[in-house]
């Protein structure tokens, strides 16, 4: 007599496969706000370096400042670089007086940092910083600055 159905071993294998697949999906999904903040940080680092290069090439002082609805590059022509965050909840503050980051035209600009936060999750922050010689880099707030 032959019974139809699954053996206990077959059922355990299927459950193990489902558990591994569920764990993989859980690790693949990241917090959307943290990802958006990281994307804005990486983009801002690239924009700051572009502004720095344009300042050196033209010999014109360029300054970056945060605005209530984004940021701006003083000293560059309008529309030279973007002025809006990718995610509307991103906010920035600097470690300098007047919330200004000087990008050039001098090759050495002095140590500077910009702290990025999300208005939806203010406890999550990222820091963009430079020692004045090297490019701006993105780091977690408790890691060592360059």
């Amino acid at each position: 007599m032959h019974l139809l159905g699954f053996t206990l071993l077959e059922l355990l294998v299927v459950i193990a496969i489902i558990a591994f697949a569920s764990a993989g999906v859980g690790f693949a999904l990241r917090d959307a706000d943290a990802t958006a903040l990281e994307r804005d940080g990486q983009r801002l680092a690239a924009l700051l370096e572009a502004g720095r290069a344009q300042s050196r090439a033209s010999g014109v002082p360029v300054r970056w400042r945060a605005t209530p609805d984004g940021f701006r590059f003083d000293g560059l022509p309008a529309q030279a670089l973007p002025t809006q965050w990718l995610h509307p909840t991103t906010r920035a503050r600097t470690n300098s007086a007047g919330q200004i980051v000087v990008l050039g035209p001098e090759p050495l600009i002095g140590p500077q940092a910009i702290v990025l936060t999300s208005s939806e999750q203010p406890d999550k922050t990222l820091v963009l910083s430079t020692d004045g010689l090297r490019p701006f880099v993105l780091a977690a707030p408790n890691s060592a600055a360059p």
Side-chain angles (χ1 to χ4, degrees):
M1 176 178 190
H2 184 64
L3 296 175
L4 298 175
F6 298 106
T7 65
L8 180 60
L9 182 60
E10 291 171 330
L11 289 174
L12 288 174
V13 168
V14 169
I15 291 173
I17 290 171
I18 291 172
F20 282 124
S22 298
V25 169
F27 286 126
L29 297 176
R30 292 185 60 191
D31 182 14
D33 289 328
T35 303
L37 190 62
E38 188 173 322
R39 272 196 313 267
D40 269 330
Q42 291 170 346
R43 178 174 174 251
L44 182 58
L47 291 174
L48 291 170
E49 289 307 314
R52 198 171 172 185
Q54 289 182 31
S55 179
R56 280 197 227 161
S58 67
V60 175
V62 174
R63 292 174 180 82
W64 178 92
R65 75 177 70 227
T67 62
D69 59 342
F71 50 88
R72 71 178 195 216
F73 291 89
D74 297 330
L76 292 177
Q79 307 301 325
L81 292 173
T83 60
Q84 299 293 316
W85 299 112
L86 294 173
H87 199 266
T89 61
T90 301
R91 302 289 178 259
R93 69 180 190 280
T94 68
N95 64 344
S96 64
Q99 299 294 311
I100 296 172
V101 174
V102 178
L103 299 176
E106 298 82 16
L108 296 174
I109 59 174
Q112 299 181 73
I114 300 170
V115 178
L116 299 178
T117 59
S118 172
S119 61
E120 290 178 349
Q121 293 183 337
D123 58 321
K124 292 189 178 183
T125 62
L126 291 176
V127 178
L128 266 157
S129 62
T130 181
D131 62 0
L133 179 61
R134 290 180 282 195
F136 282 87
V137 293
L138 190 61
N142 56 358
S143 64

